[in-house]
Amino acid sequence: MTAEPAGLLVEKLGVHLDPELLVLALTHRSFAHEAGGIPTNERLEFLGDTVLGLVVTEALYRRHPDLSEGELAKMRAATVSQRSLAAIARRLDLGAYLLLGKGELATGGRDKDSILSDTLEALFGAVYLTHGLETARTVVETLVDPTLEVAADLGAGLDWKTSLQELAARLALGVPEYRCEADGPDHARRFTASIVLDGEVRGVGTGTAKKVAEQEAAAAAYRALQELVTPDDGVTAAVAASSQRPARATSTGSAAGA
């Protein structure tokens, strides 16, 4: 990594970072392993994750005094999710600055959600170590504020899997069963998830990660079930009849995961 790109990243963050600490924050374990076991960014990531959680939790608490703990928890989860953090990292073009091993470079590591989100958290940790909590708060809030604003309007979309489970329980359809299949080469895997409720497939979703596919499937299932809910009695005859039918035999599938 040359001095110029490092300077551009620091400029985007809006704070000064010691060059050695910045390099550490950008050092993925794959690069560290190939370089003979030098330190990785994982300890900084651990610290930055805590800083991020605190700043986001406090911001939500202060901005939404009328929301319940459960609603705040959903908004926080949506804001600090791997997918949301990776989107922020892409706005910073963080992938261009990563120090990755040859294997990760060959499999598209510069654009992997997991690597981008972890590195962003490591940068938050580096800012905290250098400048303390107040400056770290400013940096975190500046970067995540657009996500916080969107989260306030997402409703059920804050966490489709949890929202689906709650709606399924309300409709007496049981616990959602998630089935997931993957195809394609390792560097371009594509996942397809389906959700079974009361013996029927209620939603299907796809994505580049299992969690993404499951959230997409949960969103589809939630919207499908919402169409069967009436304002008067809460459940239409179609749902009621569905819940009375014996469940059809299903193949083994994975339980709903976080």
Side-chain angles (χ1 to χ4, degrees):
M1 182 175 60
T2 65
E4 184 178 359
L8 289 174
L9 179 58
V10 167
E11 184 178 332
K12 293 175 184 178
L13 291 174
V15 294
H16 169 74
L17 285 176
D18 177 81
E20 291 187 6
L21 192 59
L22 176 59
V23 169
L24 179 61
L26 299 172
T27 301
H28 187 259
R29 62 176 176 269
S30 62
F31 182 90
H33 175 73
E34 292 183 8
I38 63 174
T40 75
N41 65 3
E42 291 175 354
R43 282 170 51 86
L44 279 177
E45 174 204 335
F46 171 76
L47 177 61
D49 175 69
T50 301
V51 173
L52 171 66
L54 173 62
V55 172
V56 168
T57 300
E58 182 180 350
L60 290 170
Y61 181 86
R62 294 185 182 280
R63 295 182 190 187
H64 304 283
D66 298 328
L67 294 184
S68 69
E69 179 272 341
E71 292 170 312
L72 291 174
K74 286 183 180 181
M75 292 178 69
R76 179 178 60 191
T79 303
V80 304
S81 71
Q82 183 181 100
R83 193 176 188 180
S84 294
L85 294 180
I88 295 171
R90 289 188 180 96
R91 292 204 298 269
L92 293 171
D93 194 24
L94 189 54
Y97 307 102
L98 298 176
L99 297 176
L100 299 173
K102 294 177 181 177
E104 282 294 350
L105 287 172
T107 57
R110 292 197 186 279
D111 196 46
K112 287 183 179 178
D113 282 2
S114 58
I115 293 177
L116 289 172
S117 61
D118 288 350
T119 305
L120 183 64
E121 289 178 337
L123 285 173
F124 291 154
V127 173
Y128 172 79
L129 280 182
T130 304
H131 299 284
L133 182 57
E134 290 311 308
T135 298
R137 185 196 311 278
T138 299
V139 172
V140 170
E141 287 187 343
T142 298
L143 292 175
V144 307
D145 205 60
T147 309
L148 282 171
E149 292 299 322
V150 171
D153 299 320
L154 282 177
L158 286 168
D159 184 350
W160 287 115
K161 293 176 73 172
T162 299
S163 298
L164 174 63
Q165 187 164 329
E166 292 170 351
L167 182 57
R170 175 185 166 196
L171 301 179
L173 294 176
V175 178
E177 176 190 348
Y178 289 77
R179 303 172 181 172
C180 198
E181 299 178 350
D183 55 42
D186 289 343
H187 66 280
R189 300 287 275 174
R190 192 75 181 170
F191 294 83
T192 301
S194 58
I195 294 176
V196 176
L197 277 165
D198 193 38
E200 291 187 23
V201 174
R202 304 279 186 168
V204 177
T206 61
T208 56
K210 180 180 177 182
K211 288 184 178 181
V212 173
E214 288 181 345
Q215 285 285 355
E216 292 292 334
Y222 182 91
R223 294 186 180 108
L225 292 184
Q226 275 288 87
E227 293 181 359
L228 303 177
V229 176
T230 64
D232 295 329
D233 59 8
V235 185
T236 64
V239 176
S242 173
S243 64
Q244 296 299 317
R245 291 196 301 270
R248 293 193 295 271
T250 59
S251 58
T252 302
S254 58

